[in-house]
Amino acid sequence: MCAHCNYQNLLEKAGVEPTANRLQVLAVIGGNDAPLTAAEVFATIGRFHPINRVTVYRILDLLVRHRVLERISSGGRAAHFGLAPNKYHAPHPHFCCSRCGAVICLNPDSLSIDADNLHKTFAGEVDRIEVLVEGICRNCLKQRSNH
Ligand SMILES: [Zn+2]
Ligand SMILES: [Zn+2]
Ligand SMILES: [Zn+2]
């Protein structure tokens, strides 16, 4: 579990009632160091508590709408979910492995996004910036060199 985030507070601030199921979904995602797919969240919670698959999917949608979580695209595969940027979590790019589909959080400093420049050159309103880096992850590289 992330030592900084208070999941109950995060939900309340976003105007979402902190039910036990919602807190559980948030704790599973917040406690993992990489974003998770809906199926992974469902499987993790299901190991300890009976929960309906549809309930998990609905909670994920709700928390994305309220910007507690963010949906991370992963090159046409199942979307991954991670904590939306907040006081303790700076916005950061994600890496998606084109071989195994793993999605990894990159260091916030690894790529800088100049949002000020964007505002100068684009007249519309920007809600969210998503940066996805695609390539081959360390595990897949290792496997390749073993064969
Ligand atoms: Zn946190
Ligand atoms: Zn990989
Ligand atoms: Zn991330």
Side-chain angles (χ1 to χ4, degrees), residues 1 21 23-53 56-57 60 81:
M1 184 181 284
N21 280 342
L23 283 168
Q24 213 132 54
V25 167
L26 198 49
V28 165
I29 290 174
N32 207 54
D33 55 5
L36 295 168
T37 63
E40 287 167 338
V41 174
F42 170 68
T44 305
I45 297 176
R47 255 182 261 145
F48 308 101
H49 304 276
I51 190 166
N52 191 296
R53 182 183 290 266
V56 171
Y57 283 65
L60 290 171
F81 297 86

Side-chain angles (χ1 to χ4, degrees), residues 1 4 6 8 16-17 19 44 57-59 62 67 69 73 75 78 83 102 106 109 118 125 128:
M1 184 181 284
H4 301 290
N6 179 317
Q8 179 137 355
V16 180
E17 198 198 323
T19 64
T44 305
Y57 283 65
R58 279 203 194 121
I59 291 173
L62 177 84
R67 299 184 187 221
L69 296 179
S73 21
L83 281 183
L106 297 178
D109 300 325
L118 182 64
E125 189 182 288
R128 193 173 92 85

Side-chain angles (χ1 to χ4, degrees), residues 64-127:
V64 167
R65 268 205 315 277
H66 287 266
R67 299 184 187 221
V68 177
L69 296 179
E70 67 176 349
R71 195 188 304 268
I72 297 144
S73 21
S74 35
R77 299 182 198 234
H80 283 63
F81 297 86
L83 281 183
N86 63 38
K87 203 162 50 154
Y88 303 112
H89 300 271
H92 54 270
H94 290 95
F95 175 90
C96 178
C97 176
S98 51
R99 193 148 307 176
C100 70
V103 174
I104 300 162
C105 295
L106 297 178
N107 189 296
D109 300 325
S110 55
L111 265 180
S112 65
I113 301 154
D114 189 350
D116 290 341
N117 222 12
L118 182 64
H119 290 301
K120 277 183 220 148
T121 54
F122 175 68
E125 189 182 288
V126 175
D127 282 334

